[in-house]
Amino acid sequence: MNPTISKCMLSALLLLSLYSCDRSSCETDNPAFLNNGVLSKVYQREVVHQIEIVGEDNLRFWLSDYVEKDQKHYLVFYVQNDNLCAQAVMQIDHEDKTLSEIVNTKGKGRFNAEFKGVSFDVSQDDNDNLLIRYTGCESIID
């Protein structure tokens, strides 16, 4: 094969692989996101509100962080589309076999991986706190 063609094909494959896995950068002007920490009630309440406006099916999710708090496990996702740039904190069931690797490694090796088809439930507790509970995904793309 011609060396020039080989170089072009290799370059194209490299660019495609970088594009397909990479999260595009985004910015927000939403005061709830700018003025509150990601783990705060105000921030997460606004995330839920924005997801309701945009619609779950119109979002993309990348793993941002793994958090353990009060013996509970959480995945923090970058949540994006053309109108939303935020992070959602989702409680996970640490006994879930599909998440056992992520729990055991505390997310290492999966950060910035895209989770396709993320599903979750939103509920409210007696103290008026919103809880986003991760229920699954179709696939994980590293």
Side-chain angles (χ1 to χ4, degrees):
M1 183 180 269
N2 183 328
T4 305
I5 293 173
S6 295
K7 287 179 184 178
C8 288
M9 288 178 63
L10 184 59
S11 296
L13 286 173
L14 180 62
L15 286 173
L16 182 61
S17 69
L18 290 173
Y19 174 77
S20 64
C21 297
D22 223 7
R23 177 178 73 87
S24 59
S25 64
C26 66
E27 293 183 19
T28 185
D29 59 358
N30 186 318
F33 299 147
L34 296 173
N35 299 323
N36 297 282
V38 171
L39 299 175
S40 73
K41 294 175 188 177
V42 172
Y43 190 107
Q44 290 306 305
R45 185 173 294 282
E46 182 64 13
V47 167
V48 169
H49 176 69
Q50 292 300 317
I51 288 172
E52 288 172 350
I53 292 171
V54 171
E56 290 177 39
D57 296 336
N58 299 316
L59 298 171
R60 294 180 71 186
F61 297 83
W62 290 267
L63 186 60
S64 166
D65 203 357
Y66 171 87
V67 177
E68 287 181 16
K69 183 179 176 186
D70 300 328
Q71 297 181 333
K72 294 181 181 167
H73 305 264
Y74 301 88
L75 297 178
V76 181
F77 288 100
Y78 295 113
V79 181
Q80 289 181 219
N81 84 348
D82 292 339
N83 301 312
L84 179 61
C85 179
Q87 293 184 48
V89 179
M90 298 187 191
Q91 184 176 345
I92 59 172
D93 177 3
H94 71 281
E95 301 295 325
D96 184 325
K97 295 200 186 301
T98 60
L99 295 176
S100 63
E101 174 200 344
I102 292 172
V103 172
N104 289 337
T105 62
K106 301 188 184 314
K108 291 181 175 99
R110 293 294 185 160
F111 293 135
N112 290 318
E114 184 172 7
F115 283 53
K116 293 277 199 177
V118 171
S119 58
F120 55 91
D121 294 322
V122 178
S123 60
Q124 196 165 343
D125 68 14
D126 295 336
N127 297 325
D128 202 32
N129 296 318
L130 286 178
L131 173 66
I132 307 172
R133 185 177 306 276
Y134 174 91
T135 57
C137 72
E138 294 171 5
S139 63
I140 301 173
I141 301 172
D142 275 328

